[in-house]
Amino acid sequence: MFELNSRQPKLVLMVDDDPLQIEFGRTLAARAGYRFVGADCGRAGLRAAREARPDVILLDYVMPDLTGKQVFEEILRSPDPALRNTPVIMLTAQSANRDEQRRLLDAGLAAYLYKPFGYHELLNVIDNVLVLSRMRERNRILETQARQSFVATARMLVTLLFAKDPCTAEHSNMTADLAEAVALKSGLNEQDALLVKLGALLHDIGKIGVPENVLCKPGALTHEEMALMRLHVEYGDDALSGVPHMGEVREMVRYHHEWWDGGGYPFRLRGAEIPFGARLVSVVDAFDSMTSDRPYRQRLPRAEAHRRLRAGAGTQFDPDLVESLFDTLSTYEPRRERSIDLQFLEGLAVV
Ligand SMILES: [Fe+2]
């Protein structure tokens, strides 16, 4: 658990080989109501940082064993996230190398304080850095909560879809795996490919709103039933409209029945007007539908599915993505496990 409002006074660790500076720091901490630990060299400072768990670390730059920079770099490499996130203030001479100072600030150093400094200057820096550190900690907590709620929302949607229609569920599952592979083959990075995977998993989420007698009808749909079925795109789009961080996924849901030549629905977009993820889901969705059994028909032989995809390249499908799909299928090994695996959601850097 995070402790944002610990009532215990904050602990200041000062690492300096000058005993007068340590005494100065100790006096200041006592007056300001902080607890204080002093260390007279870099190694002792590192040990104290690991054992005493300070709230802020004051590091002298020039020390005989390890420099302040080396101690700071050790802190950054620490396996303990609490120590890595402890704010560090470097105590240094005015004449210090400015480029290096900037590099250390970029690496996460909280502040510099130039020697010689007085009581008020040191106290000001410590107070400011502690306030900043508390804000960062709050942000970290909020980010964690936002991630958790995103993953929970995605899980909830998938669970509902799977409960409503196991047939759609299995299709979405297979489509998701294959869509991720095609996305990687098309040059997307891992994160974008995972987003495509989530989009493919949820592309038919709006089918939750389609009556079951239409959704599971063991035969061709009438004109009216087809119109109802087509509404799944809008239902899905509406369902995701208020969910944070679902922008790209929502595009895949909204546009996955658009056609490359403008003959699709609901907006009759064409070509590159259709977002890439939606074009990709469209091709993979069609392939998986053709090669899976349906209540109203048996699966097509693979060669026939390939022939139909090739025939649809440039009319229904983005021709480049049809090629990417064929490339992918030439080496693709589908997962044997048919059950849904949502573990990949943890790897999505959405927040
Ligand atoms: Fe669909």
Side-chain angles (χ1 to χ4, degrees):
M1 286 296 287
F2 298 98
E3 287 185 32
L4 277 186
N5 298 308
S6 167
R7 291 187 182 276
Q8 199 174 28
K10 299 292 183 195
L11 176 64
V12 177
L13 166 63
M14 182 180 244
V15 188
D16 200 312
D17 59 319
D18 179 353
L20 289 176
Q21 282 290 348
I22 295 282
E23 266 326 294
F24 178 76
R26 194 184 302 282
T27 307
L28 170 137
R31 281 199 216 163
Y34 292 129
R35 293 177 297 140
F36 183 85
V37 173
D40 60 3
C41 66
R43 288 188 211 291
L46 271 176
R47 212 165 33 246
R50 289 178 188 126
E51 289 167 6
R53 308 185 78 81
D55 296 289
V56 59
I57 300 172
L58 304 169
L59 263 185
D60 185 24
Y61 191 83
V62 182
M63 289 184 287
D65 59 343
L66 297 174
T67 65
K69 176 173 176 260
Q70 288 171 317
V71 174
F72 176 59
E73 286 168 345
E74 278 298 314
I75 288 171
L76 287 183
R77 279 195 287 270
S78 166
D80 175 3
L83 179 54
R84 278 201 308 276
N85 291 324
T86 305
V88 175
I89 300 167
M90 195 73 79
L91 312 174
T92 184
Q94 276 283 8
S95 57
N97 179 330
R98 293 279 170 159
D99 285 341
E100 181 171 283
Q101 289 190 3
R102 204 153 291 134
R103 271 198 298 279
L104 292 184
L105 286 171
D106 285 344
L109 188 72
Y112 279 98
L113 185 59
Y114 297 117
K115 291 181 174 181
F117 46 79
Y119 175 89
H120 289 293
E121 283 168 283
L122 180 55
L123 192 58
N124 260 345
V125 174
I126 293 175
D127 286 347
N128 289 342
V129 161
L130 282 172
V131 168
L132 203 65
S133 160
R134 212 159 40 236
M135 283 165 57
R136 286 205 177 120
E137 186 63 19
R138 275 207 183 100
N139 280 345
R140 270 194 290 276
I141 293 170
L142 290 174
E143 277 177 18
T144 304
Q145 288 172 342
R147 276 194 60 71
Q148 287 169 342
S149 96
F150 176 85
V151 170
T153 305
R155 279 183 188 278
M156 177 192 71
L157 290 169
V158 173
T159 308
L160 282 176
L161 178 64
F162 284 28
K164 164 90 187 217
D165 179 10
C167 179
T168 297
E170 188 172 307
H171 162 61
S172 297
N173 208 7
M174 307 281 286
T175 305
D177 283 349
L178 184 54
E180 182 192 16
V182 175
L184 290 170
K185 182 69 86 181
S186 307
L188 264 58
N189 63 37
E190 257 176 56
Q191 275 301 314
D192 287 343
L194 285 180
L195 265 181
V196 167
K197 180 171 184 163
L198 181 58
L201 196 59
L202 294 177
H203 74 281
D204 274 340
I205 186 69
K207 286 189 175 172
I208 288 175
V210 177
E212 268 161 56
N213 60 328
V214 175
L215 200 58
C216 306
K217 184 177 174 183
L221 299 182
T222 65
H223 191 70
E224 289 74 26
E225 289 166 341
M226 184 62 82
L228 276 176
M229 184 66 109
R230 285 183 166 198
L231 284 177
H232 79 277
V233 171
E234 287 161 57
Y235 293 153
D237 188 28
D238 286 349
L240 293 180
S241 65
V243 185
H245 314 295
M246 283 281 186
E248 285 95 344
V249 169
R250 197 177 159 203
E251 283 186 346
M252 290 177 248
V253 170
R254 193 190 310 160
Y255 300 121
H256 75 272
H257 283 290
E258 299 290 349
W259 281 27
W260 182 253
D261 67 358
Y265 68 91
F267 301 106
R268 302 182 74 84
L269 300 185
R270 60 173 63 228
E273 289 173 350
I274 309 164
F276 182 83
R279 279 182 267 149
L280 194 158
V281 169
S282 163
V283 177
V284 176
D285 179 28
F287 172 76
D288 193 68
S289 297
M290 285 190 266
T291 52
S292 323
D293 291 328
R294 284 286 182 273
Y296 49 91
R297 61 150 173 75
Q298 294 247 297
R299 70 182 71 186
L300 294 176
R302 229 172 206 238
E304 175 59 14
H306 280 227
R307 196 196 62 73
R308 291 190 187 187
L309 280 177
R310 217 177 273 290
T315 52
Q316 184 170 353
F317 309 116
D318 177 340
D320 290 343
L321 282 170
V322 172
E323 287 311 313
S324 288
L325 173 64
F326 289 151
D327 278 356
T328 307
L329 288 170
S330 62
T331 53
Y332 182 69
E333 283 286 335
R335 254 188 320 132
R336 286 183 193 285
E337 180 63 58
R338 288 279 172 130
S339 67
I340 180 80
D341 178 8
L342 294 178
Q343 197 53 41
F344 77 95
L345 290 171
E346 308 293 338
L348 258 172
V350 285
V351 181

